[in-house]
Amino acid sequence: MNKKIFAANWKMYLNSNESREFMLKVNANKDLFSEFDIMIFPSHTAISIVQDLAKEFDNIKIGMQDCDVLTSGAVTGSNSITSHKVDSCIVGHSERRTIFNENDELIKKKLNNCLDKIGSAILCVGETLDEKEEKKTFEVIKKQLSILPDQIRGKNLDIAYEPVWAIGTGLVASKQYIEDVLSYINNLIKELYSVEDRPNIRLFYGGSVDENSVEELSSIALLDGFLIGSASADFEKFKNMLNKMR
Ligand code: PEP
């Protein structure tokens, strides 16, 4: 079983001080936190604080939780992919799709900006409970992935399968269910890209992952990593997840 990547989406859970406190604890547990590939997505205001406190860790990458569709200009209160120097950026998160009414067309522009400007992005896809019950999961995912660029050569594209009904609900998709969806995504990717491109694409699962589910889900062969929300913003829970996977 290969070691999985832990991508921490801190959403709006931690303010700058709390992010600093979290990172001080990471530094105090350097051995454990050095063993894994970790990505942290803090609030925009905490990005530089977290970057500074991750300086000693080659294995910790820092990203943005979202970016504006424009790369600069008169957009009060917004952050573009070039506003911060980051390693990755999440686009298409279900909270952006629902709370901010983001559609595939807008997400496509954001994705392309991220790939063009920093050469990396995490695209989130996943069905709602209604869509799952109507057996439309594959159809929804196919549509959400139809925005993928024709070429990704040299760029890092992470695709996070995050069923909306599992995000923040405590409900984790079953191993079999995730395997089926990832295998569907893997086949779509194979149709779209050449074999040389495949190593630049990584597949993640997100949706209520915590210390109780991480071990079982880690045996999913197609899975490269986890995108974790609430459990990743709680230092003890994050530490427990890593300890389970040591
Ligand atoms: C997420 O928001 O990407 C997520 C997976 O959240 P949670 O782990 O809290 O379900």
Side-chain angles (χ1 to χ4, degrees), residues 184-195 198 201:
Y184 179 76
I185 295 175
N186 191 40
N187 287 336
L188 285 181
I189 289 167
K190 276 193 202 153
E191 281 171 26
L192 205 57
Y193 300 117
S194 65
V195 208
R198 188 61 186 87
I201 303 171

Side-chain angles (χ1 to χ4, degrees), residues 9 11 93 162 166-168 206-208 227-230:
N9 176 13
K11 311 193 188 192
H93 191 281
E162 298 209 302
I167 296 179
S208 298
L227 181 55
I228 309 166
S230 65

Side-chain angles (χ1 to χ4, degrees), residues 26-236:
V26 169
N27 277 272
N29 290 267
K30 192 157 193 272
D31 287 354
L32 175 64
F33 279 82
S34 300
E35 277 185 37
F36 298 86
D37 282 327
I38 294 173
M39 302 168 89
I40 301 179
F41 297 85
S43 291
H44 291 152
T45 50
I47 287 176
S48 58
I49 294 167
V50 174
Q51 279 173 328
D52 196 42
L53 287 163
K55 264 197 317 232
E56 304 289 311
F57 295 83
D58 295 340
N59 59 310
I60 300 185
K61 307 283 179 227
I62 312 299
M64 286 170 70
Q65 295 175 12
D66 184 60
C67 62
D68 198 274
V69 67
L70 300 176
T71 51
S72 72
V75 194
T76 303
S78 209
N79 278 260
S80 100
I81 189 59
T82 54
S83 299
H84 310 270
K85 197 176 175 316
V86 286
D87 303 302
S88 183
C89 178
I90 300 172
V91 296
H93 191 281
S94 70
E95 285 153 16
R96 300 293 313 182
R97 291 180 193 262
T98 52
I99 304 169
F100 298 90
N101 287 323
E102 295 193 358
N103 59 24
D104 286 328
E105 197 189 328
L106 182 104
I107 294 164
K108 179 179 183 169
K109 288 184 190 151
K110 290 186 178 192
L111 177 65
N112 288 337
N113 282 345
C114 294
L115 295 175
D116 284 351
K117 300 288 180 195
I118 64 165
S120 189
I122 298 187
L123 170 65
C124 298
V125 296
E127 81 286 5
T128 62
L129 186 57
D130 283 350
E131 290 161 345
K132 175 177 181 263
E133 283 170 356
E134 287 165 24
K135 308 227 175 311
K136 287 186 177 159
T137 299
F138 292 161
E139 191 188 315
V140 169
I141 284 171
K142 188 173 187 179
K143 181 172 174 292
Q144 290 173 336
L145 289 180
S146 68
I147 66 161
L148 288 177
D150 298 338
Q151 293 281 333
I152 54 147
R153 202 144 296 158
K155 314 273 166 80
N156 298 310
L157 174 65
D158 297 329
I159 298 172
Y161 169 53
E162 298 209 302
V164 181
W165 50 269
I167 296 179
T169 58
L171 297 171
V172 184
S174 73
K175 197 180 147 196
Q176 184 63 56
Y177 193 84
I178 300 171
E179 276 169 347
D180 291 347
V181 177
L182 292 188
S183 134
Y184 179 76
I185 295 175
N186 191 40
N187 287 336
L188 285 181
I189 289 167
K190 276 193 202 153
E191 281 171 26
L192 205 57
Y193 300 117
S194 65
V195 208
E196 297 87 66
D197 285 329
R198 188 61 186 87
N200 291 335
I201 303 171
R202 301 181 300 187
L203 303 184
F204 290 61
Y205 166 77
S208 298
V209 174
D210 64 12
E211 57 202 293
N212 302 312
S213 49
V214 73
E215 239 172 328
E216 194 199 347
L217 299 183
S218 284
S219 61
I220 299 175
L222 274 174
L223 192 71
D224 296 293
F226 300 103
L227 181 55
I228 309 166
S230 65
S232 77
D234 176 318
F235 181 77
E236 286 307 315

